[in-house]
């Protein structure tokens, strides 16, 4: 397997370094030196010549031929290059290794025919064996290298060498054919055709070019027939692999002017033409363009240095040269480089957003990033577009794979951003929703007006949903692997419902405490009224017959229970109406009512305790007693006379009042003497009661059995000790009143 060398990885697009400054490239660049070492400055050279970004818009031409046949001279004339040429005096090889130069006559206009853009010419060391002895190694290697890279191989040959089958040129051509077969075997489909362009020098004109061509073609066929062809290719013809073109140039020294015009004419043929399926292996017309698309090696300019170097290294180390593999390796290498390049701009746009999102969510306050969708979309489009522009020129399979890798890589980052955005929108949406509802409720409460909780919640919910959808919709990325937010939206809806459920619970609590306050006020008044009636010992009209207590005293608890249950009934109706208005469920209403009844009972108990405090009771008993003692049956104040049965009246009044104490000490029905049906009235706790619902509820004796308090105890208003104490203190008070009456009676007589 071929391993891509990495020593060319850097500097592809680097600025031209010191080493590779302009003067170093005065004569072009020595791609491969006499020691067969590949030049690392090729990228810099292509950069300097403005070719590196040309994509496929460049051409590579090589020149072959025996040494000192005027190859460099020809190239310099054709392309305005400055390859070294041998001076007329020294007969010494000047071109060593392989040189490359860009066409300097690109803008020359030869009779309206402009040359193609970005022609790169390679001047390959000639052969003669003079300098390299019998070493054919370099010749073979450079032929292979030229074939692997060049569209057109110029074969430079003297006219007088034509037909000399044994000549050095024929050896070279044999080598070219052999190495081409070798390449062809590796990949018969993708090895492009090449043009062998014979330039016949010092053409005297005696023999017409067509004859020279015939001779050469015959020689070529002869060479071809002597090659041992691999199985399957025995019948193949030379024309299956090469196109041929021929041109003859006049003698440069004998006919210098004609030489120049002919070379100029030749120059115009270095322009792009069209593939012609009819033409069979022969480019004939003397003015036809020779740069046909089918000759192009399809190595993008920016990948050429790496490709050329790796091809050379394969050749140089005598490994099997496998161009398809080389092209795939090149594609992988370049696609990775291009990925890195295009990701720079992507990172610039996306990294700050990623950092913002990460740090905000770490801080626990995720933010919805403005413009996120727009930035993500354009960053994604740009990165993929830029990648495609550069990388699609490489091996299609590799390009597609690398493109998918790149898309997956950026999409995973974008998806993280997208999900982060959704989660921020989720979190802030719930918080905003809750705040908006709470604020409007508060404002409603402040105004004292009744607000429509249901309407507030449903309006805010709609807003919250559309805000979320907006955020999500604007962050969607066209073409990315993630394209919907259904799941997230559902989750958001669910949580929104959760929050509004919580808000409704809060509202229920507020409603409950409003109703409780109302119950408290009502009971305070109405229960107070009932107790106050005790102050008047006469109750109803007239004196009670057979020692019966007046109804206002005896049925005190009946009336309190009735007032209490009526009040709570009204409260329940109000509560139910309101709660239903904001969609509280049956269960929630049931729990609310159950709580209301329990709390109301607590309110009543507190009110009773307040009324039955020692001071209050003493005052009421005294009033009750005085009413009975000081007023006669008609309600007229008594004026005590010594003859009056003060003691009898006193005893009767006192005993009557004292009867109140046992009555007061226990909440019970006046006729049955049983406690009120509290447990049945409160009812069973609804099944949906939660721990939170029960948290602030005081235990009720007899209802909550587990509390160890009985209903009897719950209904006890005055304990025995309290009763005794009360009796004692009341008697003292009553005694005082009696003594005072007695005194006033005696006083009345003395007056
Ligand atoms: P290269 O070794 O093939 O590159 O040959 P050079 O370009 O260095 O030229 C070798 C010699 O041939 C030089 O002395 C040139 O002046 C000479 N020369 C160049 N072109 C021609 C030509 O068209 N005809 C003849 N007779 N001599 C030429
Ligand atoms: Mg030369």
């Amino acid at each position: 397997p071929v391993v891509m060398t990495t020593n060319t990885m850097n500097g592809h697009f680097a600025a031209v370094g010191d080493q590779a400054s302009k003067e170093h490239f005065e004569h072009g660049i020595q791609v491969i030196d006499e020691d067969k070492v590949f030049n690392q400055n090729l990228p810099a050279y292509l950069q300097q010549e403005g070719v590196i970004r040309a994509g496929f818009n460049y051409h590579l031409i090589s020149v072959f031929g025996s040494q000192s046949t005027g190859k460099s001279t020809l190239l310099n004339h054709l392309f305005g290059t400055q390859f070294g040429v041998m001076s007329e005096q020294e007969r010494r090889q000047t071109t060593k290794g392989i040189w490359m130069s860009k066409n300097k006559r690109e803008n020359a206009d030869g009779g309206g025919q402009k040359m193609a853009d970005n022609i790169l010419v390679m001047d390959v060391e000639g052969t003669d064996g003079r300098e390299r002895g019998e070493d054919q190694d370099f010749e073979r290697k450079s032929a292979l290298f030229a074939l692997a890279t060049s569209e057109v191989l110029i074969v430079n040959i003297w006219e007088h060498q034509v037909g000399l089958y044994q000549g050095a040129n024929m050896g070279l051509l044999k080598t070219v054919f052999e190495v081409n077969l070798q390449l062809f075997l590796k990949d018969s489909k993708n090895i492009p055709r090449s043009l062998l362009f014979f330039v016949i020098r010092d053409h005297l004109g005696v023999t017409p070019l067509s004859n020279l061509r015939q001779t050469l073609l015959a020689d070529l066929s002869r060479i071809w027939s002597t090659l041992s062809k691999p199985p399957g290719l025995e019948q193949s013809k030379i024309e299956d692999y090469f196109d041929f073109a021929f041109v003859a140039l006049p003698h440069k020294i004998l006919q210098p002017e004609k030489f120049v015009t002919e070379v100029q004419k030749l120059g115009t043929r270095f322009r792009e033409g069209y593939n012609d399926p009819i033409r069979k292996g022969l480019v004939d017309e003397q003015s036809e363009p020779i740069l046909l698309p089918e000759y192009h090696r399809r190595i993008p300019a920016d990948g050429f240095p790496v490709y050329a170097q790796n091809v050379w290294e394969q050749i140089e180390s005598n490994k099997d040269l496998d161009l398809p593999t080389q092209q795939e390796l090149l594609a992988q290498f370049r696609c990775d480089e291009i990925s890195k390049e295009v990701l720079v701009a992507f990172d610039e746009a996306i990294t700050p957003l990623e950092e913002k999102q990460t740090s905000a969510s770490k801080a626990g306050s995720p933010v919805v990033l403005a413009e996120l969708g727009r930035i993500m979309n354009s960053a994604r489009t740009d990165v993929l577009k830029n990648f495609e522009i550069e990388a699609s020129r490489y091996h299609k399979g590799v390009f597609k794979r690398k493109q998918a890798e790149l898309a997956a890589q950026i999409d995973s980052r974008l998806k993280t951003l997208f999900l982060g955005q959704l989660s921020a929108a989720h979190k802030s949406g719930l918080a905003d929703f809750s705040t908006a509802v709470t604020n409007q409720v508060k404002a409603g409460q402040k105004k004292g007006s009744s607000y429509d909780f249901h309407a507030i919640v449903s309006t805010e919910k709609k807003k919250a949903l559309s805000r979320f959808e907006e955020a999500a919709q604007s962050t969607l990325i066209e073409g990315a692997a993630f394209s919907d937010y259904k799941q997230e939206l559902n989750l958001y809806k669910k949580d929104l419902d959760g929050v509004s459920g919580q808000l409704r619970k809060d509202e229920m609590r507020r409603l409950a405490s409003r109703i409780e306050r109302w119950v408290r006020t009502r009971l305070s008044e109405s229960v107070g009224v009932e107790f106050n009636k005790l102050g008047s010992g006469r109750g109803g009209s007239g004196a009670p017959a057979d020692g019966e207590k007046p109804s206002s005293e005896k049925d005190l608890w009946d009336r309190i229970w009735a007032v209490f249950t009526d009040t709570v009934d009204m409260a329940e109706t109000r509560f139910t109406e309101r709660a239903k208005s904001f969609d509280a469920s049956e269960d929630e209403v049931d729990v609310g009512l159950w709580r209301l009844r329990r709390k109301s009972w607590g309110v009543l108990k507190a009110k009773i305790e307040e009324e039955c405090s020692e001071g209050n009771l003493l005052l009421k008993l005294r009033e009750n007693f005085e009413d009975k003692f000081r007023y006669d049956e008609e309600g007229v104040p008594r004026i005590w006379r010594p003859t009056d049965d003060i003691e009898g009246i006193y005893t009767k009044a006192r005993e009557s009042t004292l009867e109140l104490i046992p009555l007061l000490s226990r909440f019970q029905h006046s006729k049955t003497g049983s406690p009120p049906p509290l447990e049945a009235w409160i009812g069973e706790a609804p099944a949906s009661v939660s721990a939170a619902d029960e948290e602030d509820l005081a235990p009720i004796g007899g209802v909550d059995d587990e509390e160890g308090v009985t209903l009897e105890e719950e209904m006890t208003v005055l304990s025995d000790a309290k009763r005794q104490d009360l009796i004692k203190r009341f008697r003292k008070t009553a005694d005082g009143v009696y003594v005072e009456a007695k005194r006033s009676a005696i006083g009345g007589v003395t007056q």
Side-chain angles (χ1 to χ4, degrees):
V2 187
V3 177
M4 205 69 171
T5 54
T6 51
N7 53 353
T8 46
M9 280 180 83
N10 304 316
H12 251 196
F13 303 107
V16 177
D18 289 345
Q19 257 190 318
S21 63
K22 215 150 190 150
E23 49 270 318
H24 280 92
F25 297 138
E26 198 180 357
H27 299 278
I29 181 167
Q30 192 177 21
V31 179
I32 290 155
D33 69 12
E34 51 270 41
D35 298 321
K36 304 179 187 173
V37 175
F38 196 90
N39 195 328
Q40 298 302 310
N41 290 322
L42 185 53
Y45 177 71
L46 294 184
Q47 162 109 333
Q48 183 201 289
E49 295 290 356
V51 179
I52 202 94
R53 288 286 184 192
F56 292 130
N57 187 26
Y58 76 100
H59 300 279
L60 208 74
I61 288 159
S62 289
V63 69
F64 277 103
S66 312
Q67 198 197 318
S68 305
T69 48
K71 297 186 299 292
S72 301
T73 304
L74 172 67
L75 294 181
N76 290 347
H77 273 80
L78 262 176
F79 303 110
T81 51
Q82 294 185 51
F83 294 120
V85 295
M86 186 167 67
S87 73
E88 300 295 336
Q89 285 77 33
E90 316 164 49
R91 310 286 302 169
R92 196 174 56 78
Q93 190 180 6
T94 47
T95 303
K96 293 200 158 109
I98 300 175
W99 281 77
M100 175 191 275
S101 177
K102 191 189 164 194
N103 176 20
K104 304 293 179 206
R105 299 186 62 240
E106 198 168 284
N107 296 313
D109 180 295
Q113 304 274 40
K114 221 177 134 288
M115 290 170 113
D117 295 337
N118 301 317
I119 297 175
L120 297 169
V121 198
M122 290 207 293
D123 190 3
V124 181
E125 175 186 333
T127 46
D128 243 0
R130 195 202 298 253
E131 306 277 332
R132 287 196 176 251
E134 292 308 302
D135 181 13
Q136 300 287 298
D137 184 55
F138 185 78
E139 178 184 302
R140 192 178 176 82
K141 284 176 173 168
S142 56
L144 198 44
F145 181 72
L147 257 180
T149 56
S150 312
E151 301 160 48
V152 176
L153 300 176
I154 296 177
V155 180
N156 193 54
I157 187 169
W158 297 121
E159 185 189 4
H160 60 75
Q161 286 181 309
V162 174
L164 296 181
Y165 174 65
Q166 298 304 330
N169 284 311
M170 292 301 130
L172 174 67
L173 286 168
K174 186 174 178 186
T175 304
V176 169
F177 294 164
E178 274 170 1
V179 297
N180 190 69
L181 265 178
Q182 183 187 325
L183 289 180
F184 191 83
L185 263 185
K186 290 284 178 194
D187 181 30
S188 56
K189 283 191 198 72
N190 295 316
I191 296 301
R193 298 168 71 81
S194 309
L195 176 68
L196 282 182
F197 194 7
F198 286 87
V199 179
I200 301 161
R201 308 290 294 271
D202 288 1
H203 185 225
L204 297 172
V206 178
T207 317
L209 178 61
S210 53
N211 290 12
L212 295 171
R213 182 208 291 150
Q214 288 309 322
T215 311
L216 281 169
L217 283 172
D219 282 352
L220 292 172
S221 296
R222 199 126 49 96
I223 295 170
W224 184 253
S225 66
T226 63
L227 287 185
S228 60
K229 291 160 206 83
L233 299 176
E234 295 90 346
Q235 300 305 315
S236 61
K237 293 201 193 72
I238 183 70
E239 290 85 5
D240 296 337
Y241 308 101
F242 292 99
D243 284 345
F244 297 97
F246 302 89
V247 72
L249 290 178
H251 198 294
K252 179 182 173 272
I253 293 152
L254 299 181
Q255 297 172 282
E257 278 160 34
K258 208 173 170 222
F259 177 82
V260 169
T261 44
E262 285 304 308
V263 167
Q264 229 154 46
K265 229 171 92 187
L266 176 58
T268 66
R269 298 193 62 187
F270 289 86
R271 56 182 211 277
E272 289 171 357
Y274 302 97
N275 293 337
D276 181 357
I278 300 189
R279 172 179 45 74
K280 275 214 188 95
L282 206 60
V283 178
D284 199 26
E285 268 294 318
Q286 288 301 298
S287 59
E288 251 182 61
I290 57 168
L291 299 174
L292 304 189
E294 64 182 308
Y295 304 150
H296 204 288
R297 263 43 183 175
R298 309 302 293 169
I299 304 297
D302 57 354
F304 181 76
V306 176
Y307 176 75
Q309 170 160 15
N310 285 294
V311 164
W312 177 251
E313 276 162 10
Q314 287 296 111
I315 295 171
E316 171 48 13
S317 55
N318 292 312
K319 292 196 182 114
D320 256 7
L321 183 56
D322 176 355
L323 293 185
T325 305
Q326 286 303 321
Q327 286 174 13
E328 270 187 50
L329 289 170
L330 173 70
Q332 286 170 21
F333 176 76
R334 279 297 298 145
C335 284
D336 287 344
E337 277 194 331
I338 294 164
S339 280
K340 270 185 223 145
E341 277 169 44
V342 297
L343 276 173
V344 170
F346 180 83
D347 281 340
E348 256 166 42
I350 297 302
T351 310
L353 295 169
E354 290 172 328
E355 283 169 356
K356 220 178 190 174
Q357 196 180 67
T358 312
S359 66
S361 85
K362 259 194 197 142
S365 51
V367 284
V368 176
L369 299 168
E371 296 283 280
L372 180 66
R374 192 189 56 74
I375 297 170
M376 290 204 301
N377 265 301
S378 80
R380 185 180 192 275
T381 310
D382 286 354
V383 79
L384 293 179
K385 190 185 70 203
N386 291 337
F387 181 79
E388 180 159 1
I389 291 172
E390 297 289 331
S392 63
R393 296 189 187 110
Y394 288 92
H395 184 277
K396 281 286 165 287
V398 174
F399 158 67
K400 284 265 183 288
R401 183 158 52 79
K402 294 286 178 182
Q403 188 186 40
E405 277 174 25
L406 178 66
Q409 187 191 340
I410 61 170
D411 281 357
S412 100
R413 286 172 65 183
L414 295 178
K415 186 171 184 180
T416 306
L417 273 173
F418 173 71
L419 292 178
Q421 183 84 333
L422 289 189
S423 125
H426 182 111
K427 206 164 173 188
S428 70
L430 293 184
D432 289 351
F433 168 70
S434 176
T435 310
V437 170
T438 311
N439 283 344
Q440 289 177 59
V441 166
K442 266 188 200 150
Q445 282 174 327
K446 215 179 232 166
K447 272 195 284 178
S449 60
S450 68
Y451 49 86
D452 187 345
F453 181 78
H454 176 75
I456 293 171
V457 167
S458 64
T459 311
E460 289 305 323
K461 204 186 249 179
K462 248 182 233 146
K463 279 193 211 161
L465 275 174
S466 75
R467 270 198 301 267
F468 183 87
E469 289 221 56
E470 242 166 65
Q473 194 67 44
S474 72
T475 321
L476 273 186
I477 292 177
E478 221 175 293
F482 52 99
S483 54
D484 80 283
Y485 51 88
K486 240 181 251 156
Q487 217 182 325
E488 287 80 6
L489 180 65
N490 282 339
L491 197 71
Y492 181 65
K493 274 184 184 155
K494 226 177 98 193
D495 283 1
L496 213 49
D497 286 343
V499 171
S500 41
Q502 189 53 52
L503 288 169
R504 196 176 59 232
K505 270 208 180 91
D506 293 348
E507 181 61 14
M508 290 276 280
R509 283 292 159 91
R510 275 191 293 271
L511 172 64
S513 48
R514 271 204 309 277
I515 302 268
E516 276 162 37
R517 266 201 308 281
W518 180 82
V519 167
R520 185 170 289 121
T521 314
R522 285 292 291 252
L523 287 183
S524 177
E525 253 173 52
S526 49
V527 173
V529 166
E530 295 306 330
F531 272 98
N532 283 342
K533 285 181 185 162
L534 291 179
S536 125
R538 285 152 297 148
S541 57
D546 57 11
E548 278 242 327
K549 296 300 297 172
S551 70
S552 60
E553 288 171 8
K554 215 184 150 228
D555 57 10
L556 170 75
W557 295 116
D558 301 349
R559 280 178 288 112
I560 288 178
W561 180 252
V563 156
F564 170 68
T565 50
D566 284 354
T567 306
V568 177
D569 270 354
M570 282 164 73
E572 287 195 34
T573 310
R574 286 167 148 232
F575 182 86
T576 308
E577 270 170 21
R578 288 287 284 151
K580 286 261 161 79
S581 84
F582 47 77
D583 291 345
S585 66
E586 292 281 336
D587 280 353
E588 282 171 326
V589 173
D590 285 349
V591 170
L593 293 176
W594 179 75
R595 279 175 52 85
L596 177 63
R597 286 191 294 271
R598 291 188 57 118
K599 287 216 152 188
S600 298
W601 171 251
V603 168
L604 177 65
K605 259 195 90 173
K607 179 63 187 166
I608 291 169
E609 256 163 45
E610 182 200 317
E611 291 289 343
C612 294
S613 72
E614 210 173 67
N616 276 345
L617 268 192
L618 217 49
L619 209 65
K620 292 226 162 67
L621 291 176
R622 184 190 166 133
E623 278 173 10
N624 181 279
F625 162 74
E626 286 192 349
D627 231 30
K628 287 169 177 159
F629 181 58
R630 283 208 185 136
Y631 296 85
D632 65 14
E633 278 82 44
E634 271 70 50
V636 180
R638 290 192 167 102
I639 309 291
W640 297 112
R641 282 173 302 261
T643 50
D644 285 342
D645 177 17
I646 301 177
E647 198 171 337
I649 295 170
Y650 159 69
T651 309
K652 200 178 156 206
R654 189 194 62 193
E655 290 312 309
S656 167
T657 299
L658 272 173
E659 276 172 32
L660 284 178
I661 294 179
L663 176 78
L664 282 171
S665 58
R666 193 166 165 276
F667 198 138
Q668 63 188 11
H669 193 267
S670 61
K671 297 242 162 53
T672 61
S674 47
L678 187 60
E679 193 177 0
W681 179 77
I682 286 174
E684 290 248 328
S688 57
V689 160
S690 71
D693 290 324
E694 290 186 299
E695 212 166 51
D696 60 339
L697 293 178
I700 299 173
V703 175
D704 307 315
D705 322 318
E706 68 274 19
E707 299 296 329
V709 184
T710 61
L711 186 60
E712 202 53 48
E713 286 165 304
E714 182 72 23
M715 295 304 162
T716 302
V717 178
L718 299 173
S719 64
D720 280 351
K722 264 196 180 154
R723 250 160 59 186
Q724 296 311 319
D725 192 45
L726 201 59
I727 291 170
K728 234 197 283 171
R729 292 183 63 178
F730 168 68
R731 279 175 177 276
K732 266 187 194 151
T733 313
D735 287 354
V737 175
Y738 167 72
V739 170
E740 205 181 294
K742 203 74 174 162
R743 266 200 205 115
S744 79
I746 297 162
V749 171
T750 49
Q751 262 167 15

